[in-house]
Structures are given as C-alpha cells and as structure tokens.
C-alpha cells in the first residue's frame, strides 16, 4: 500500500501541543477582544452551497475553492472565508435585529493555495463583521480593532496598507467600463500586474487620459496621509466619484490617527484585493518579518443586498491566525500565562491507588491541574519524567503517610519535599 497517508494531505498540517497552545492563545485573545468591542460569536458551517461562497469571492479565489458534490447531489464547497456565510446569516435570520449587528467567528478555512511559509490549504481566521452602518466611524472602529488585536498580542512594527476601491472604480466607471471589466482589472492589480491591468483597461476602451491617470495612480504610495491625499486629489480631479472616495478614506484614517492608537498606515493607490465584494476602504496588515498579510478586510455595502434584496452596509476584518502565530515566533513573543501549577500524583504501591485517585480528583476540583501516574512506574522514573513535562509538584502517596492522613509533597523546582496533611495539600501547592 502507498505510504503517503503517513503525512497530512499537502497544505494541511498537524498542530502539536505547543503549537495548538499558541493557536488557542491567539483565539482566546480574539474572543476577549470580541467581548470588549461588543461582537457576539456565531458559528456557521464549514460546508456551504458553492453558489453562496463563489458569488463575490473573485476569480482567483473561486478557482482555489474545494468544491464537490455531496451524496444528495448538491454542489457544495468548503468555506474559503467567513464573510459570505455571515452575509447569508444576516440576510436570512438577522435582518430585523437592531443595527449595528456585530458578529465574531473563529475557525478553519480552506483554499487550494500553493503551500509555502505562511500559506496553507487549511488555515485559521478570527473574523469580525460590523453590519448596518455606512459611517466612517464604523470603518475606523474595525481598523482600530485590528490594531488593538495586534498590539494586545505584543506584535511590534506592524503596518496597515490601505486604499479605497472607489478610487479605481470611480475612474473606470467614468470611462464606461462595467463592473465585470473593473473586477478583471482589479484582479490583475491584486497580483501587482500593473502593466497588464493598463493593457486590459485599454482593451475595455479606456481613453488615453484615463490610462495616464491610472498609470499615475499606480505610482502613488507613501506613509504621510496629508501628502498622499493631496497627490491623489490632484491626480483624479476630473473623476467626482474617485474624489468622494478619497475624502471618505481621509476621514476614516484621521479618525484612527486621532484615537491615540499606535497605528502606522501605508497608502497605496494602486492596491486592490482579490475579493470582489468590496465597495469602500480596503486594508491589509503586515509585519516586517513576513512578506505576506497577517490580516485583511474592508467595507462591502452590496453583498448582503445581493442575498436579501435589502440594502445593508457592512465592514469587517479577518486576522490570519496561522500567520500571526508565525509573526509572534519571529518576534520572540510567547503566550503569557499566569503562574501555573501542574501536579503529578504518584502512589508508591498498588494497594493505595484508589487513595491517590481520590486525591487527584480533589486537587482538580480545587482548580489545580493534576495528572495521575497511570503507568505504575516507579517513583524515580516518575520523578524524572515529571521534570521533563513541566510538572511543578509531585504528590507522593505512601502507605505509612496515608495512614496518618498525610502525603509527601515534592516541589520540583527546588527539589525540597515535606510531609503535608491531605486537607492542607491544595493550599500548600497554591502558596
Ligand atoms: P483575506 O485577505 O482573503 O480576507 O484573508 C484574511 C487573512 O487570512 C489574510 O490576511 C491571511 O492572514 C489569512 N489567509 C488567507 N489565506 C491564507 C492561507 N492560504 N494560509 C494562511 N493564511 C491565510 C478575507 O478572508 C475576508 N473575508 C476578510 C473580510 C472580512 N473582509 C470583510 N470582512
């Protein structure tokens, strides 16, 4: 038999205990932040109808979906993101709920991407969607939450790359290029294929003035808001919708800059994202140690309408947990935990196993992480394995001591041991 099944399927991976701990640490931080910002958690299925997921995901992402027919003949797919599922949920079950609706989700997603460092076919996101407001303060809050998330984890030197899809769509729309053509051009920009994008715009009938404007737009980038805004405004002065988008972007970023957060923005007027549902600001978060985005999001005011017929604006962000884990490793950040005690209870002979079990259950009930020696190893072997496993205390249960209502408590850090009464055991460990 072929032995390839000994490895996970290409692009999938196992999380060993120390990796799973890091991932769950990020997840717990994400959940705590959701509570602080008033986002309620929802859990949606991993398998959804293909048509829902494919609707506005963009050509490149669509090609990378895991699509199959289930036994009932339905064309289904593994979710490549949360946003379409959330839009479905809002459209069908939450339309009458008072706005804004703030929803948090966390879980695994699937894209048939080419595996490489930080790019997997199964990956994890913490996702936040703010539904019901089209105001710039809603965008600012989602951007602020993104910064807060990264700062709470201790991530240093991050940058948020921003743009507004209304700038490019405003220019292309003015030239009579329809949404489909605009999408094809934006896909090329997402791959940084500026020349190809210009060629395609020409094929769709863009005037030479428009092509010149686009070429200049693609070159506009930098950190200083006022400077970049001024250049952008001068460049698109004949395109009213593009001008409105610039002023919207300016307003959102000023809100965040004035909020006291430590956010560093990088403006790039030719930046686009592969997902097609965006209608306003778009952004991605980066750290210097990784060349790939650790999070991304933006405003999408038409997606929920597509499913419900009702106009419902929304903005959201997804943080890539696998990449954040990598960024933390590269920056030497480890999950910080409160001082923790980990106890191993070792009965020194068979006749007192039940007493040792009883002590283990009692310790756990008092909130102490406790393992029981279940392999009947001798004391010296148990002690040496305990040190390797990070056990802080060993409770040695001997026949003589148990007869007096006592056990021997060994502190593994300083190697000191003492007789302790069973009633006092948990408080002795904790103090
Ligand atoms: P996205 O940019 O496609 O946006 O994904 C968000 C983040 O997920 C990325 O920045 C990256 O960190 C992580 N990610 C994506 N693909 C992979 C992969 N193959 N391996 C590892 N990590 C990956 C969205 O998914 C939108 N739904 C975000 C959003 C929410 N927009 C509005 N609301």
């Amino acid at each position: 038999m072929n032995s390839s099944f000994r490895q996970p399927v290409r692009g999938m991976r196992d999380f060993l205990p120390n990796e799973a701990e890091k991932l769950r640490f990020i997840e717990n931080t994400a959940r705590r932040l959701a509570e602080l910002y008033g986002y309620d958690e929802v859990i949606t299925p991993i398998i959804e109808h293909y048509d829902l997921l494919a609707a506005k995901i963009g050509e490149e992402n669509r090609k990378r979906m895991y699509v199959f027919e289930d036994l009932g003949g339905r064309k289904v797919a593994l979710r490549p993101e949360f946003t379409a599922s959330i839009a479905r949920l809002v459209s069908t079950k939450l339309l009458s709920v008072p706005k804004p609706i703030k929803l948090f989700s966390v879980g695994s997603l699937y894209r048939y991407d080419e595996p490489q460092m930080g790019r997997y076919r199964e990956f994890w996101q913490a996702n936040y969607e703010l539904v019901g407001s089209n105001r710039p303060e809603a965008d600012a809050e989602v951007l602020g939450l993104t910064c807060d998330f990264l700062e709470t984890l201790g991530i240093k030197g991050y940058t948020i790359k921003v743009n507004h899809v209304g700038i490019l769509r405003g220019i292309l729309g003015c030239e009579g290029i329809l949404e489909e053509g605009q999408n094809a051009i934006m896909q090329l920009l997402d791959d940084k294929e500026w020349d190809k994008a210009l060629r395609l715009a020409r094929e769709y009938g863009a005037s030479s003035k428009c092509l010149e404007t686009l070429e200049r737009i693609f070159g506009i980038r930098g950190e200083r808001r006022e400077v970049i805004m001024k250049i952008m405004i001068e460049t698109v002065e004949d395109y009213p919708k593009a001008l409105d988008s610039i002023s919207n972007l300016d307003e959102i970023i000023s809100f965040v800059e004035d909020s006291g957060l430590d956010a560093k923005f990088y403006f790039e007027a030719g930046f686009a994202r592969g997902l097609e549902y965006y209608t306003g600001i778009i952004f991605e978060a980066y750290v210097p140690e990784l060349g790939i985005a650790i999070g991304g999001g933006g405003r999408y005011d038409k997606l929920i309408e597509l499913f419900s017929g009702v106009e419902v604006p929304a903005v959201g962000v997804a943080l890539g947990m696998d990449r954040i884990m990598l960024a933390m490793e590269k920056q030497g950040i480890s999950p910080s935990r409160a001082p923790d005690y980990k106890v191993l209870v070792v009965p020194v002979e068979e006749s007192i196993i039940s007493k040792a079990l009883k002590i283990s259950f009692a310790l756990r009930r008092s909130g102490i992480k406790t393992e029981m020696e279940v392999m009947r190893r001798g004391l010296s072997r148990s002690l040496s394995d305990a040190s390797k496993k990070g056990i802080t205390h060993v409770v040695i249960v001997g026949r003589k001591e148990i007869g007096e209502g006592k056990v021997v408590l060994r502190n593994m850090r300083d190697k000191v041991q003492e007789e302790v009464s069973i009633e006092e055991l948990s408080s002795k460990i904790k103090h």
Side-chain angles (χ1 to χ4, degrees), residues 77-367:
L78 302 185
R79 61 183 180 196
E81 58 145 6
F82 284 112
T83 309
S85 303
I86 299 299
R88 171 184 61 71
L89 204 63
V90 171
S91 305
T92 54
K93 297 187 177 142
L94 302 174
L95 269 186
S96 54
V97 166
K99 311 283 185 305
I101 309 170
K102 295 175 172 179
L103 301 174
F104 166 70
S105 309
V106 64
S108 58
L109 304 139
Y110 302 84
R111 295 183 194 176
Y112 201 78
D113 277 330
E114 195 45 39
Q116 51 184 272
M117 200 197 30
R119 182 164 290 132
Y120 313 102
R121 290 179 177 167
E122 179 184 60
F123 61 96
W124 293 71
Q125 282 183 353
N127 187 83
Y128 302 81
E129 309 288 358
L130 195 168
V131 178
S133 169
N134 59 5
R135 304 289 181 190
E137 52 269 41
D139 306 61
E141 205 195 65
V142 169
L143 270 176
L145 186 156
T146 307
C147 301
D148 219 353
F149 189 110
L150 301 175
E151 281 169 34
T152 305
L153 287 169
I155 291 188
K156 294 171 284 287
Y158 69 88
T159 307
I160 312 278
K161 180 161 91 175
V162 286
N163 195 19
H164 193 299
V165 297
I167 302 173
L168 286 164
R169 289 200 190 272
I171 300 170
L172 298 170
C174 239
E175 296 286 314
I177 300 177
L178 301 178
E179 197 184 325
E180 223 167 279
Q182 294 177 15
N183 291 344
I185 293 167
M186 310 275 255
Q187 284 287 327
L188 290 169
L189 294 180
D190 181 38
D191 291 336
K192 300 189 169 36
E193 299 273 14
W194 326 106
D195 291 339
K196 283 191 188 163
L198 282 174
R199 243 176 282 142
L200 193 59
R202 184 178 297 120
E203 279 170 33
Y204 281 122
S207 65
S208 49
K209 180 185 146 222
C210 167
L211 292 171
E212 226 173 80
T213 308
L214 286 176
E215 203 170 351
R216 279 167 53 208
I217 277 284
F218 296 167
I220 302 176
R221 57 190 65 187
E223 285 170 13
R224 294 178 53 202
R225 180 172 53 83
E226 278 106 348
V227 178
I228 299 291
M229 292 299 152
K230 190 164 170 286
I231 305 173
M232 286 207 285
I233 290 168
E234 284 165 8
T235 313
V236 304
E237 59 185 354
D238 297 329
Y239 297 95
K241 285 200 173 149
L243 284 170
D244 288 347
S245 302
I246 294 171
S247 105
N248 177 242
L249 179 63
D250 193 29
E251 197 174 5
I252 296 166
I253 303 299
S254 326
F255 276 147
V256 186
E257 282 178 351
D258 295 345
S259 69
L261 283 165
D262 220 3
K264 196 168 116 200
F265 291 104
Y266 185 78
F267 301 87
E268 200 177 299
F271 154 54
R273 280 173 47 74
L275 299 153
E276 268 167 15
Y277 46 66
Y278 292 118
T279 54
I281 189 172
I282 48 170
F283 60 91
E284 281 176 356
Y286 289 88
V287 282
E289 294 82 0
L290 289 178
I292 41 180
I294 56 173
R299 169 164 291 282
Y300 54 100
D301 287 348
K302 300 269 179 248
L303 187 65
I304 298 171
E305 187 180 351
L306 186 73
F307 301 143
S308 67
V310 183
E311 221 176 288
V312 185
V315 55
V317 62
L319 280 308
M321 293 164 60
D322 312 70
R323 293 186 188 172
I324 288 177
M325 196 167 131
L326 265 178
M328 288 172 71
E329 277 163 17
K330 294 215 177 265
Q331 297 193 350
I333 306 165
S334 50
S336 53
R337 272 170 281 135
D340 216 357
Y341 308 103
K342 230 165 132 186
V343 173
L344 176 71
V345 178
V346 185
V348 291
E349 55 187 89
E350 212 179 308
S351 62
I352 42 179
I353 287 176
S354 66
K355 296 269 191 280
L357 278 169
K358 192 172 168 187
I359 291 169
S360 311
F361 289 127
L363 286 175
R364 290 182 196 117
R365 247 175 270 134
S366 73

